[in-house]
Amino acid sequence: MASLAFSSSLLLSSPPSNFSPPSLSPLPSRFSFSHSSALSSSLSITPSPLTYPKSSKRFALSALSVKASAAEKKKVLIVNTNSGGHAVIGFYFAKQLLGSGHDVTILTVGEESSDKMKKPPFNRFSEIVSGGGKTVWGDPAEVGKVVGGAAFDVVLDNNGKDLDAVRSVTVTGPKIGPRVLVVKQFLFISSAGIYKPTEEPPHVEGDVVKADAGHVGVEKYIAEVYGSWAIFRPQYMIGSGNNKDCEEWFFDRIVRDRPVPIPGSGMQLTNIAHVRDLSSMLTLAVEKPDAANSRIFNCVSDRAVTLDGMAKLCAQAAGRPVNIVHYDPKAVGIDAKKAFPFRNMHFYAEPRAAKEILGWHATTNLSEDLKERFDEYVKIGRDKKPIKFEIDDKILESLKVLVAV
Amino acid sequence: MTGEDGKTSGIEKFDGTDFGYWKMQIEDYVWYKFATGAHKYDYEEKKNVMILVKEGFLVYQEFIKYSKMMYLDGDIQVYENIDEVFDLPDGHFYAVNSLCSSAGVYLKTDLPPHYEVDAVDPKSRHKGKLETESLLKSRGVNWTSLRPVYIYGPLNYNPVEEWFFHRLKAGRPIPIPNSGIQITQLGHVKDLARAFVQVLGNEKASKQVFNISGEKYVTFDGLARACAKAGGFPEPEIIHFNPKEFDFGKKKAFPFRDQHFFASIDKAKSVLGWKPEFDLVEGLADSYNLDFGRGTFRKEADFSTDDLILGKSLVLQS
């Protein structure tokens, strides 16, 4: 059911089965497309027959992906954020696609010379280039200009946190030239953080989301504008090239024999996946666009871990003991968001749609994966790096005070 | 207990009403079956009793220590589905092709949920069920094992929802150990019954284990609130307590194990095409409306452990 993004039938189609966008006022007339034939004659659109591998593959490791044949080869554009926990997704996905023989361009927001590009995964983008991919920098609002006005089979937007950011990537009108992007399948990285907190976990696709969350507006917009789309809601991830600390937060304390301060009871559940699982889910969606169409997928592993559990697993991976200290952020007078890298509440989604609809399987094995992560942590010398633990010290100090009374 | 003559006569007349009378009849029948059969039945072990609800008719099922005997409701009659007779050191038992096991057999994990492939705990108090599973496997017969988490529903012998309903009805606070965010999982007995029915004669179920429970899990605090909603009670006062500060003797202060305990039902859904019909509040309301709400329950309210807890927390407040 892949269709060009600006097919007029899109706007009038009934909502997809598991995602009902609320009724919105009609979109501006620039979306009414009498120009499609004109467009197709001015832009070179590579005809690619929509054949997909018949057998379903288990994506145990990205390296085992089957090479795409000429008929299956896709031209993929990844629009990537320049910072934050999701940045590594684009890096991994690009490498996996290249390994499978697809054509990949990754557009990172901002400037190549920016300081942000000195951090992982950006400082490893040479791996994408040597894999045959193109790396470009720019403003997503100028995407057509930046990527040369090309047509793509797939666009993965791993950047747009709000409607303005995403709108600029989508087709913005009948004008031909640098501002137009032709897209068959639009994939969007949203966030499982938009689910409304519940006393009945897990968060499952279709559950109520927070109406005011930025990603929610984007999800609704995408559902209206694209003929073939899929939305992915991740939680936390680990993996080489991560831009944001995850397991490192625990390692920092464990290797320095410092207590690990965890807010609340430590029983809060979270979901930490290896980024290869997120990537394999995206890859399956690219290979099964009909199955993935109009679907929302929780892009997470299929196991939970408690906050205490994560501390213990990190310690086991490091081969060291761990001293977990629980505290009440309010009593101590600190903002838990600044003190601790995970949400101070149950935050647990399950990847039920991906398993059921894409035949996806999780491979994350935290016990094993954290060992690999720890090895790298030591290899880059982070265990020796001098770190200040100001907030930790404040927490520990206040706990001593409470105990003394 | 009055022993019947062992025939199933009478039970087929059960029309879904007068549970008080029929419960006794069915109980007698089941007891008699075991007492006069070669099977050794320990009446004290009458713990894992499961009530099947099908089309408004209730059939009382008894799951005993080795959980081997099962009576499934066809239309109205109780029938047995016996494959083979096995010998065990303590006596004979009748093996059926469906075994009501328990998610309690899983080894405690840091990475929930429990999946069917996960390690089991040979020391668990449900090890009898594990032994049965092994035995069935070794005999090469067609078998299926279903592992529920916590079963609830009308006529539930195990005071799961009943425990909350007693307190809600009495207008008492609900004492919940530690943080109250421990996650558990309930499955309506009718959904479990449907799973059993779907397993019978189903090739895909042969020699397989399936977790059977509700779609969603629930925190302890959330469960208290769900029971209140189900019974039309106002939102309850919840008191958290530290169990280590009390000596409850042999009594249980709370009906659930104080840890996260939940299992994924993905396999049953994808392999059997089964899925639970009841969501939590709906299912609890069903239980309330058909049982506790009509004035029936299995165990009298016992608030002695509650009073210990409440007594101490009153002291702390002053």
Side-chain angles (χ1 to χ4, degrees):
Chain A
M1 205 201 121
S3 50
L4 295 177
F6 43 85
S7 154
S8 59
S9 62
L10 254 196
L11 304 177
L12 309 172
S13 61
S14 55
S17 52
N18 72 335
F19 188 84
S20 324
S23 52
L24 293 177
S25 51
L27 292 164
S29 59
R30 60 188 179 166
F31 284 89
S32 61
F33 304 110
S34 48
H35 306 269
S36 47
S37 55
L39 274 163
S40 43
S41 61
S42 342
L43 290 167
S44 58
I45 298 169
T46 317
S48 40
L50 302 175
T51 56
Y52 302 99
K54 288 185 176 62
S55 59
S56 68
K57 295 188 255 299
R58 286 187 66 105
F59 280 86
L61 291 166
S62 61
L64 297 179
S65 310
V66 170
K67 294 255 177 258
S69 66
E72 302 165 356
K73 181 168 165 172
K74 305 251 175 145
K75 192 162 176 177
V76 183
L77 169 67
I78 300 169
V79 179
N80 215 59
T81 176
N82 56 28
S83 70
H86 290 182
V88 67
I89 301 173
F91 177 60
Y92 226 87
F93 183 48
K95 297 211 296 178
Q96 179 164 12
L97 289 171
L98 289 167
S100 301
H102 296 290
D103 183 305
V104 178
T105 302
I106 180 163
L107 159 61
T108 302
V109 176
E111 321 236 320
E112 189 175 358
S113 54
S114 146
D115 275 345
K116 291 184 177 179
M117 296 301 108
K118 296 183 181 153
K119 295 180 68 180
F122 310 105
N123 56 10
R124 290 172 52 183
F125 267 22
S126 53
E127 293 172 35
I128 295 176
V129 175
S130 58
K134 289 186 263 318
T135 55
V136 294
W137 280 260
D139 178 357
E142 310 266 284
V143 62
K145 181 162 78 178
V146 179
V147 299
F152 291 94
D153 295 305
V154 183
V155 168
L156 170 70
D157 185 322
N158 184 30
N159 172 59
K161 297 166 191 67
D162 56 61
L163 202 45
D164 288 334
V166 172
R167 248 206 265 261
S168 58
V169 181
T170 64
V171 176
T172 53
K175 274 176 97 170
I176 56 171
R179 289 186 68 85
V180 173
L181 205 57
V182 180
V183 175
K184 289 205 186 95
Q185 181 188 32
F186 191 88
L187 306 178
F188 179 62
I189 303 291
S190 175
S191 166
I194 64 175
Y195 284 112
K196 224 171 154 206
T198 174
E199 291 192 309
E200 290 186 46
H203 295 303
V204 157
E205 297 89 349
D207 281 357
V208 177
V209 294
K210 293 182 255 186
D212 57 348
H215 288 107
V216 172
V218 176
E219 289 190 359
K220 287 178 192 163
Y221 174 77
I222 288 165
E224 272 154 29
V225 171
Y226 288 99
S228 178
W229 59 268
I231 286 165
F232 298 85
R233 295 175 177 165
Q235 284 193 239
Y236 304 106
M237 65 211 78
I238 63 172
S240 187
N242 207 346
N243 186 261
K244 188 176 170 190
D245 279 355
C246 180
E247 69 281 16
E248 295 86 345
W249 187 91
F250 294 93
F251 291 153
D252 282 346
R253 286 145 183 84
I254 289 164
V255 297
R256 291 167 181 79
D257 287 322
R258 289 192 55 101
V260 178
I262 291 182
S265 64
M267 288 278 283
Q268 305 90 312
L269 289 188
T270 189
N271 191 324
I272 299 170
H274 192 287
V275 65
R276 66 170 180 265
D277 276 353
L278 280 73
S279 183
S280 71
M281 197 187 288
L282 295 169
T283 303
L284 271 176
V286 168
E287 295 181 348
K288 300 181 181 183
D290 290 348
N293 189 14
S294 309
R295 300 288 194 178
I296 296 171
F297 299 98
N298 288 337
C299 203
V300 295
S301 84
D302 69 351
R303 291 201 184 256
V305 65
T306 61
L307 300 182
D308 277 5
M310 182 59 180
K312 289 180 196 153
L313 288 172
C314 286
Q316 275 166 28
R320 301 177 78 109
V322 64
N323 173 19
I324 295 171
V325 165
H326 293 126
Y327 67 96
D328 175 357
K330 281 194 199 133
V332 172
I334 52 129
D335 182 356
K337 280 186 212 151
K338 298 205 175 109
F340 190 69
F342 302 97
R343 293 187 182 198
N344 180 13
M345 59 196 295
H346 284 311
F347 177 33
Y348 173 56
E350 282 188 357
R352 295 185 185 183
K355 279 184 177 179
E356 194 193 329
I357 295 164
L358 298 176
W360 171 90
H361 301 275
T363 67
T364 298
N365 177 341
L366 279 182
S367 310
E368 289 307 309
D369 293 333
L370 286 170
K371 285 192 192 133
E372 206 184 86
R373 300 304 312 130
F374 185 70
D375 287 345
E376 186 173 331
Y377 177 87
V378 169
K379 193 165 145 199
I380 61 174
R382 183 154 163 179
D383 57 334
K384 307 274 185 286
K385 186 178 160 195
I387 299 178
K388 283 205 183 125
F389 294 94
E390 283 165 0
I391 302 182
D392 282 36
D393 287 336
K394 186 172 174 193
I395 294 165
L396 297 169
E397 198 49 50
S398 93
L399 287 174
K400 277 191 227 146
V401 171
L402 289 172
V403 168
V405 164
Chain B
M1 275 291 153
T2 323
E4 289 292 338
D5 58 3
K7 295 191 194 137
T8 55
S9 62
I11 287 189
E12 59 268 29
K13 294 191 183 125
F14 177 48
D15 63 0
T17 62
D18 201 357
F19 299 150
Y21 170 78
W22 279 108
K23 176 180 167 301
M24 207 166 62
Q25 298 303 309
I26 293 167
E27 201 169 38
D28 282 0
Y29 166 72
V30 169
W31 177 86
Y32 180 81
K33 262 303 228 196
F34 285 105
T36 57
H39 187 81
K40 264 177 78 163
Y41 175 54
D42 181 348
Y43 210 69
E44 280 312 305
E45 280 290 336
K46 198 178 70 175
K47 283 187 204 159
N48 301 319
V49 171
M50 182 182 93
I51 310 302
L52 298 191
V53 180
K54 190 173 172 170
E55 257 101 49
F57 295 99
L58 289 161
V59 173
Y60 202 19
Q61 288 208 359
E62 197 82 35
F63 288 93
I64 56 158
K65 201 170 175 184
Y66 295 103
S67 300
K68 291 153 197 79
M69 183 68 85
M70 188 166 78
Y71 295 86
L72 265 189
D73 171 36
D75 292 308
I76 302 167
Q77 284 152 10
V78 178
Y79 65 84
E80 294 171 50
N81 199 0
I82 298 171
D83 277 352
E84 216 183 308
V85 178
F86 293 117
D87 286 328
L88 267 194
D90 352 6
H92 304 283
F93 74 95
Y94 300 91
V96 297
N97 68 348
S98 317
L99 165 67
C100 188
S101 180
S102 166
V105 301
Y106 288 113
L107 193 59
K108 194 169 172 189
T109 177
D110 283 331
L111 300 168
H114 290 299
Y115 287 94
E116 290 83 352
V117 295
D118 287 358
V120 292
D121 180 4
K123 295 191 225 143
S124 108
R125 69 179 181 87
H126 299 277
K127 65 180 182 201
K129 295 175 178 117
L130 277 181
E131 285 160 16
T132 311
E133 286 183 15
S134 307
L135 196 59
L136 290 169
K137 268 181 225 171
S138 69
R139 297 297 175 114
V141 297
N142 247 351
W143 62 273
T144 305
S145 180
L146 302 188
R147 292 178 182 163
V149 184
Y150 286 102
I151 305 168
Y152 74 104
L155 292 194
N156 192 0
Y157 188 87
N158 189 20
V160 166
E161 66 270 49
E162 177 183 293
W163 188 90
F164 291 92
F165 290 148
H166 273 309
R167 281 142 188 85
L168 290 164
K169 182 169 178 194
R172 282 180 149 261
I174 316 269
I176 290 180
N178 292 314
S179 67
I181 68 166
Q182 302 89 317
I183 293 175
T184 187
Q185 186 183 15
L186 275 63
H188 195 288
V189 68
K190 189 169 181 178
D191 286 327
L192 178 56
R194 286 175 36 255
F196 274 111
V197 170
Q198 251 163 284
V199 147
L200 287 180
N202 185 345
E203 266 174 22
K204 290 189 190 163
S206 175
K207 303 182 186 178
Q208 294 294 323
V209 172
F210 298 96
N211 296 331
I212 300 289
S213 195
E215 280 280 14
K216 294 280 196 123
Y217 321 127
V218 65
T219 62
F220 287 173
D221 284 1
L223 179 54
R225 289 190 257 271
C227 287
K229 261 195 209 144
F233 295 104
E235 195 168 313
E237 188 194 350
I238 293 174
I239 306 264
H240 292 124
F241 67 97
N242 180 353
K244 291 188 189 150
E245 289 172 13
F246 300 89
D247 178 6
F248 299 120
K250 285 198 171 171
K251 293 195 173 173
K252 269 164 75 165
F254 190 71
F256 294 87
R257 39 177 91 180
D258 185 4
Q259 59 173 79
H260 290 315
F261 179 41
F262 53 96
S264 168
I265 58 169
D266 285 350
K267 184 182 172 186
K269 284 167 72 180
S270 68
V271 174
L272 301 175
W274 164 90
K275 69 177 174 76
E277 297 290 323
F278 284 101
D279 72 30
L280 185 62
V281 172
E282 244 174 26
L284 289 169
D286 181 70
S287 178
Y288 185 81
N289 294 332
L290 291 179
D291 192 4
F292 195 92
R294 294 188 187 183
T296 53
F297 46 80
R298 311 294 90 65
K299 281 201 178 149
E300 287 292 338
D302 177 357
F303 300 131
S304 52
T305 54
D306 299 49
D307 288 337
L308 273 178
I309 293 159
L310 295 170
K312 185 155 182 178
S313 62
L314 279 174
V315 167
L316 283 173
Q317 277 160 32
S318 66

